[in-house]
Amino acid sequence: MSLQNFLFTSESVSEGHPDKISDRISDAVVDKFLGADPLSRVAVETLCTTNRVVMAGEVRGPDSITKAVMEEIARSAIKDIGYEQDGFHWQKAQVDVHVHSQSVDIAQGVDAAGNKDEGAGDQGLMFGYACRETEVLMPAAIHYSHAILRSLAEARHSGAESGLGPDSKSQVTLQYEAGQPVRAMSVVVSTQHAEGMDQDEIREIVRPHVIGVLPDGWMCAEGEFYVNPTGRFVVGGPDGDCGLTGRKIIVDTYGGAAPHGGGAFSGKDPTKVDRSAAYAARYVAKNVVAAGLADRCTLQVSYAIGVSKPLSVYIDTHGTGQVDEERLSVILQDMVDLSPRGIREHLKLSRPIYARTAAYGHFGRAPDEDGGFSWERTDLVDDLKSAFGA
């Protein structure tokens, strides 16, 4: 029997966190290539430290996207996030680009040729998850952790809170009763700030953003509300800590409430199943829950490099399912082609829609009119209900 009464914690980090700056730059490069040629292949990673950015990886796409273009992409991303600090400045940072052509060995395994369909860009296993804890069918702790930081970022960008810096982190601990979240037991927010601001001042700036995000009556006790617990957070971003692409995979997904296959998303074009199959798994799991066929759903899918069909598809509704899981798996695979090409075409992933995913989670977001977050659509619901007579 699963535990029904417990505490559970998830964290988020802002767009100005060093790892998220790296993700943003890498994904902006992906967007640049896909915008020029939807069939581009991109695997680019970024390192950020004190006034230095290093980009490395392999690409296949238009020659017009030179190293100079990629450098400008990095500077533009840093400027948009808001870094004009002595230790990390969009104009003054040194940007080194070490990006080369994609390996022909990888290309021949992945590309379609003759009777061979497009293969997976790598081996691996990917997970998708959905649950009824929030309206967006995401686990509550990660959902509210993201929302707190988004609210603070909006206030910073608008100028309403000009004393806040780009780097911040949040952590929300929720109390569960009978398996459902009922209140916040503790909230931690650390946010970079201007010189001369004290801890109490920052606390009162942060407070309304937390209260505004949590459901009514959920705010934790005052003694469990921690803001900048070290007392000072002036030096932040890459000047304080080194950042790397792909280091915040649990922040990117379900906050630890569901499994993660291990592969990061950012910096990868949609032929890489680390990214596309994780999106497809979320899409399928979300539609199962949205259709009322389960209150919770986990889906695992696995691949081999160069092979188009998934090696396995596993569905677990955690004892909440209203239908047979084996039949559900068969019907879902009839509805959604889970080959790399099938996923890419069904969700229309070969578009420049990825820089926006680099902060505040890849899941639980509203689908955009231009196709961004297409994996958050619930357009399978009617077909699923019909298939099961629901």
Side-chain angles (χ1 to χ4, degrees):
M1 180 179 294
S2 61
L3 192 64
Q4 295 293 298
N5 302 316
F6 55 90
L7 301 181
F8 189 82
T9 304
S10 293
E11 70 159 348
S12 180
V13 298
S14 73
E15 66 198 60
H17 185 281
D19 294 331
K20 286 287 135 194
I21 300 169
S22 297
D23 285 344
R24 170 73 173 272
I25 293 170
S26 294
D27 274 338
V29 172
V30 172
D31 283 353
K32 188 70 173 179
F33 273 94
L34 292 178
D37 179 359
L39 298 181
S40 294
R41 299 290 188 261
V42 185
V44 170
E45 305 192 36
T46 304
L47 176 149
C48 296
T49 187
T50 302
N51 267 335
R52 182 181 290 269
V53 175
V54 181
M55 304 163 65
E58 58 278 351
V59 296
R60 186 177 63 186
D63 292 337
S64 59
I65 304 176
T66 62
K67 291 183 178 181
V69 170
M70 285 185 263
E71 176 181 340
E72 182 56 34
I73 288 170
R75 294 192 187 280
S76 178
I78 296 165
K79 181 180 181 181
D80 187 63
I81 291 168
Y83 275 103
E84 295 186 348
Q85 301 170 4
D86 289 341
F88 196 69
H89 195 291
W90 66 274
Q91 280 182 313
K92 299 175 183 177
Q94 180 174 331
V95 179
D96 300 318
V97 181
H98 304 279
V99 176
H100 58 80
S101 297
Q102 184 188 53
S103 160
V104 294
D105 291 344
I106 292 177
Q108 73 179 3
V110 174
D111 291 347
N115 294 325
K116 174 184 173 297
D117 196 4
E118 179 182 298
D122 201 352
Q123 70 177 45
L125 52 140
M126 299 82 207
F127 287 92
Y129 181 74
C131 64
R132 293 196 177 280
E133 292 182 13
T134 60
E135 290 184 358
V136 294
L137 305 184
M138 283 287 288
I142 188 66
H143 175 70
Y144 296 128
S145 294
H146 286 322
I148 290 167
L149 295 187
R150 276 201 307 270
S151 182
L152 287 168
E154 288 166 3
R156 177 175 63 84
H157 282 295
S158 71
E161 297 294 351
S162 58
L164 298 181
D167 193 0
S168 59
K169 302 178 75 171
S170 64
Q171 184 171 286
V172 175
T173 299
L174 299 181
Q175 181 173 353
Y176 282 69
E177 294 179 357
Q180 293 298 314
V182 296
R183 66 183 64 86
M185 292 300 290
S186 67
V187 176
V188 183
V189 178
S190 295
T191 180
Q192 190 180 13
H193 58 85
E195 188 75 61
M197 300 179 73
D198 64 32
Q199 188 177 23
D200 290 340
E201 185 179 1
I202 300 298
R203 184 186 187 88
E204 294 314 308
I205 289 173
V206 169
R207 186 188 302 276
H209 294 276
V210 176
I211 293 174
V213 160
L214 294 175
D216 290 344
W218 276 39
M219 184 61 179
C220 62
E222 188 66 15
E224 296 296 325
F225 179 41
Y226 304 95
V227 176
N228 286 8
T230 64
R232 174 183 165 88
F233 188 3
V234 173
V235 177
D239 192 28
D241 289 295
C242 181
L244 292 169
T245 300
R247 226 170 29 178
K248 287 292 179 285
I249 58 176
I250 301 304
V251 170
D252 285 344
T253 55
Y254 307 102
H260 190 290
F265 303 157
S266 290
K268 299 175 182 177
D269 74 76
T271 66
K272 278 70 170 176
V273 284
D274 279 341
R275 176 167 232 158
S276 57
Y279 290 171
R282 161 65 178 173
Y283 171 66
V284 169
K286 183 177 183 180
N287 275 270
V288 168
V289 174
L293 303 185
D295 291 334
R296 294 171 60 202
C297 181
T298 298
L299 184 141
Q300 185 209 61
V301 61
S302 68
Y303 296 87
I305 187 169
V307 179
S308 61
K309 67 175 183 178
L311 303 185
S312 65
V313 178
Y314 165 78
I315 293 177
D316 183 4
T317 56
H318 306 278
T320 70
Q322 304 298 311
V323 298
D324 178 72
E325 290 176 349
E326 186 173 349
R327 183 172 174 230
L328 177 61
S329 178
V330 171
I331 288 174
L332 286 169
Q333 290 179 74
D334 285 340
M335 289 183 179
V336 182
D337 179 357
L338 292 174
S339 70
R341 181 196 295 275
I343 293 169
R344 189 165 48 80
E345 293 179 350
H346 187 100
L347 296 177
K348 297 180 171 57
L349 296 179
S350 296
R351 294 187 280 189
I353 55 174
Y354 297 106
R356 70 194 74 172
T357 69
Y360 313 119
H362 292 243
F363 307 129
R365 311 279 288 271
D368 294 326
E369 290 186 2
D370 67 351
F373 300 103
S374 60
W375 49 93
E376 291 296 314
R377 302 189 318 244
T378 53
D379 52 357
L380 300 180
V381 166
D382 289 344
D383 289 342
L384 282 170
K385 287 181 176 180
S386 176
F388 288 96

